[in-house]
Amino acid sequence: MADLSALKDIATPSESAAPVHVRKVDTFGRSYATGKRKNAVARVWVKAGSGKIVVNGKDYTAYFARPVLQMILRQPIFAAARDGQFDIIATVAGGGLSGQAGAVRHGISKAMTYFEPGLRPVLKKGGFLTRDSRVVERKKYGRAKARRSFQFSKR
């Protein structure tokens, strides 16, 4: 009971216990990440370049025609102050355009942290690295929709 001071040294975590984020780049100098949102899944490659963004073989302005979706896509780039420094290639499938834009944004954020680990605190604080787990609730039997009941009539 009196000799608990010896256990104190064992229980304290060492300085090396904190996760060390290292640069993850393939042989072509690209970093890869998967982004998800609703039912959309995006595969994203980031490499040093002139700022060109290609989604499913098209320029991102042609694929995401609405300005709001283009803004969502570029949020992590502006937050990290890296506009025009990365070439981004993404393939996205599933869901609708809004979910796909969110999935590409999530993938870009993760790939940027793999390419340049120093950007992680900025992107983490902006909430770009967190996967938005909200998905559509399934329809239940005996219901009109997920929760809506059929109209009640007494007679």
Side-chain angles (χ1 to χ4, degrees):
M1 193 86 163
D3 198 18
L4 293 178
S5 61
L7 294 175
K8 184 178 169 188
D9 295 333
I10 298 169
T12 55
S14 63
E15 295 297 321
S16 62
V20 178
H21 300 287
V22 294
R23 192 169 191 244
K24 297 177 188 171
V25 180
D26 64 4
T27 55
F28 298 106
R30 306 174 302 187
S31 63
Y32 168 80
T34 305
K36 294 182 181 182
R37 169 85 167 89
K38 293 187 178 180
N39 285 329
V41 179
R43 300 183 303 157
V44 180
W45 289 267
V46 171
K47 63 179 180 176
S50 59
K52 189 172 65 172
I53 303 173
V54 178
V55 179
N56 286 356
K58 297 181 182 179
D59 187 52
Y60 80 103
T61 55
Y63 191 82
F64 296 111
R66 292 196 310 232
V68 174
L69 300 179
Q70 296 173 18
M71 183 264 304
I72 287 171
L73 190 85
R74 298 185 61 151
Q75 278 179 334
I77 300 166
F78 287 129
R82 296 290 186 272
D83 191 28
Q85 295 182 20
F86 291 129
D87 282 347
I88 298 165
I89 299 162
T91 58
V92 63
L97 283 178
S98 177
Q100 288 185 352
V104 173
R105 177 180 88 162
H106 185 227
I108 288 172
S109 305
K110 283 173 61 175
M112 283 172 62
T113 59
Y114 294 151
F115 192 85
E116 196 175 330
L119 297 176
R120 186 173 170 82
V122 176
L123 295 173
K124 183 83 172 158
K125 190 166 189 277
F128 301 118
L129 296 177
T130 306
R131 193 251 201 249
D132 190 352
S133 61
R134 296 175 296 170
V135 292
V136 178
E137 190 176 347
R138 76 173 188 87
K139 185 196 174 299
K140 281 78 172 184
Y141 60 88
R143 297 270 174 174
K145 293 166 69 174
R147 298 184 181 201
R148 169 126 171 51
S149 300
F150 293 111
Q151 183 172 341
F152 176 75
S153 175
K154 198 167 190 178
R155 300 186 214 297

